């Protein structure tokens, strides 16, 4: 169950929320989608789950186009939206049964009971949702996202607004259900990513600015150079990483790479382009936007 995001742009009126974003998530990955408020995280997740269309670009979940076959995609994807909208007047069990009905599950009762058990709702399932604490409401949100046993889970800030104990409980629950699933969860807390994820994608102002394993995030050295280069053709990431002095690379947009390097390799980039039968369309040394973003993110944590 892979997710493939190709050149996705989303414009709301005059606000560009996503700017030509491309990346893929492979089966079994737990990807933390990290970024400050307003970065475009929720917008990306609504597009992946087929709730809103992109202005341009394509998203495929397991090769199924989310615009053309949004119903098919929804069957395979569990989604916990931001702010977890729930029917506060409904009883927990009644609500989960209602969700199971929407998915036309044949083993409805069994699945509802299983979800109540799995998400630790057993002591609360007879209550109306409005009477539950924020932590238990979040469990109901996770139960509805998991009820049809989706192989892909999209969780938008699953621990936001919870107290420290509830945060630990929800994180453990996510880790528990993670096996055999592909998960993307958004957060603006760096530590959350380190606790749950095996990969982190950082977005800022609608552009991906880093993509790495969590351990490497935050290790940006202020002495390093950040170079942004646009090639005329697609370039192999492994070849770029092999250039002497390169510390990390990320494809921010199609054929546009942000390269972190220990010394100024601009001349080497031109030579690299020639050696790979391509050419450089644009090249600039950037402010250390990674460092800036990390500072901002750590501040929130
Ligand atoms: P995040 O989830 O990272 O906080 P969002 O995806 O919610 O970011 O928002 C990205 C940008 O798009 C923000 O500038 C936000 O104000 C704007 N935006 C989000 N939804 C809408 C909307 N429905 N109409 C107009 N602007 C929106
Ligand atoms: Mg959001």
């Amino acid at each position: 169950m892979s997710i493939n995001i190709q050149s996705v742009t989303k414009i709301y009126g005059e606000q560009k929320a996503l700017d030509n974003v491309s990346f893929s998530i492979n089966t079994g990955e737990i990807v933390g989608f990290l970024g400050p408020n307003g970065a475009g995280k929720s917008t990306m997740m609504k597009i992946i789950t087929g709730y809103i269309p992109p202005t341009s670009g394509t998203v495929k979940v397991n090769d199924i186009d989310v615009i053309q076959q949004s119903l098919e995609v929804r069957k395979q994807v569990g989604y916990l939206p931001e702010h977890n909208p729930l029917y506060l007047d409904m009883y927990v069990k009644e609500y989960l049964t209602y969700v199971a009905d929407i998915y036309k599950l044949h083993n409805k009762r069994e699945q509802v009971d299983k979800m109540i058990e799995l998400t630790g709702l057993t002591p609360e399932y007879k209550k109306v949702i409005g009477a539950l604490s924020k932590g238990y409401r979040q469990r109901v949100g996770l139960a509805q996202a998991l009820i049809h046993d989706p192989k892909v889970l999209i969780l938008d800030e699953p621990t936001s607004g919870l107290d420290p104990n509830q945060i630990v409980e929800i994180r453990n629950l996510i880790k528990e259900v993670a096996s055999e699933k592909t998960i993307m969860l958004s957060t603006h807390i760096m530590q959350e990513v380190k606790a749950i994820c095996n990969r982190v994608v950082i977005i800022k102002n609608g552009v991906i600015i880093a993509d790495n394993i969590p351990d490497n995030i935050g290790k940006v050295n202020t002495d390093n150079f950040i170079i942004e280069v646009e090639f005329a053709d697609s370039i192999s990431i492994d070849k770029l990483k092999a250039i002497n002095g390169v510390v990390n690379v990320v494809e921010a947009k199609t054929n546009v790479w942000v390269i972190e390097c220990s010394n100024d390799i601009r001349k080497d980039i031109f030579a690299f382009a020639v050696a790979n039968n391509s050419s450089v369309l644009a090249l600039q040394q950037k402010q250390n936007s990674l460092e800036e973003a990390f500072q901002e993110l750590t501040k929130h944590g």
Side-chain angles (χ1 to χ4, degrees):
M1 282 289 169
S2 59
I3 303 173
N4 193 276
I5 296 150
Q6 191 62 49
S7 309
V8 166
T9 293
K10 179 70 186 183
I11 300 168
Y12 297 107
E14 293 183 351
Q15 172 76 44
K16 195 181 254 187
L18 295 172
D19 187 2
N20 203 5
V21 172
S22 301
F23 65 96
S24 293
I25 298 180
N26 300 314
T27 307
E29 281 189 314
I30 306 179
V31 174
F33 197 40
L34 187 66
N37 289 323
K41 303 181 296 296
S42 296
T43 300
M44 190 74 249
M45 291 180 141
K46 285 177 200 163
I47 292 172
I48 294 172
T49 50
Y51 281 83
I52 59 170
T55 305
S56 60
T58 53
V59 175
K60 288 183 178 168
V61 174
N62 210 26
D63 293 328
I64 306 170
D65 189 296
V66 300
I67 306 168
Q68 280 155 21
Q69 289 178 272
S70 76
L71 282 179
E72 196 48 46
V73 166
R74 285 184 208 196
K75 279 187 211 161
Q76 306 193 15
V77 175
Y79 176 38
L80 176 66
E82 193 177 29
H83 311 310
N84 186 16
L86 293 168
Y87 296 102
L88 299 183
D89 296 336
M90 282 178 108
Y91 290 88
V92 173
K93 195 165 182 173
E94 180 193 13
Y95 170 69
L96 292 177
T97 308
Y98 161 77
V99 177
D101 271 334
I102 294 176
Y103 286 112
K104 300 190 171 65
L105 299 184
H106 53 92
N107 54 346
K108 193 169 75 180
R109 279 198 192 153
E110 201 177 87
Q111 268 311 89
V112 169
D113 289 344
K114 201 169 142 191
M115 287 307 116
I116 287 172
E117 163 96 44
L118 176 74
T119 57
L121 278 165
T122 309
E124 305 283 292
Y125 79 91
K126 288 180 179 161
K127 293 187 181 170
V128 285
I129 293 171
L132 300 182
S133 68
K134 186 111 208 300
Y136 274 102
R137 285 185 200 185
Q138 210 63 349
R139 288 166 195 259
V140 176
L142 279 167
Q144 67 75 29
L146 289 163
I147 200 158
H148 54 306
D149 195 23
K151 292 287 173 269
V152 175
L153 262 189
I154 307 288
L155 309 174
D156 197 351
E157 304 218 20
T159 63
S160 108
L162 302 184
D163 72 32
N165 288 331
Q166 293 168 336
I167 288 177
V168 172
E169 286 164 14
I170 294 294
R171 282 181 190 166
N172 286 341
L173 184 54
I174 294 169
K175 280 193 257 185
E176 213 174 296
V177 302
S179 66
E180 294 166 41
K181 293 200 193 296
T182 302
I183 301 184
M184 179 182 190
L185 70 93
S186 72
T187 176
H188 56 267
I189 306 165
M190 180 98 73
Q191 288 81 347
E192 182 130 300
V193 167
K194 300 210 171 191
I196 310 179
C197 307
N198 49 34
R199 178 176 156 201
V200 53
V201 173
I202 302 186
I203 184 167
K204 193 182 179 193
N205 296 331
V207 174
I208 306 291
I209 57 163
D211 186 343
N212 213 319
I213 58 169
D215 276 353
N216 285 352
I217 296 293
K219 281 191 188 156
V220 179
N221 183 340
T222 22
D223 294 337
N224 283 352
F225 291 79
I226 302 289
I227 290 168
E228 189 180 273
V229 56
E230 181 174 7
F231 293 107
D233 310 275
S234 76
I235 292 288
S236 137
I237 184 166
D238 293 328
K239 283 186 182 170
L240 268 178
K241 281 184 175 166
I243 298 174
N244 228 341
V246 169
V247 177
N248 191 25
V249 294
V250 54
E251 189 170 18
K253 301 176 198 175
T254 311
N255 297 341
V256 176
W257 296 85
V258 177
I259 303 174
E260 185 193 344
C261 39
S262 55
N263 54 300
D264 187 352
I265 59 159
R266 280 176 293 181
K267 282 183 184 163
D268 306 278
I269 295 283
F270 280 101
F272 171 87
V274 172
N276 287 279
N277 298 317
S278 187
S279 43
V280 171
L281 297 181
L283 178 71
Q284 54 172 325
Q285 191 174 339
K286 302 264 283 185
Q287 289 291 330
N288 201 331
S289 61
L290 285 175
E291 180 68 16
E292 195 190 306
F294 293 137
Q295 277 171 0
E296 196 168 336
L297 293 164
T298 338
K299 211 166 56 196
H300 282 292

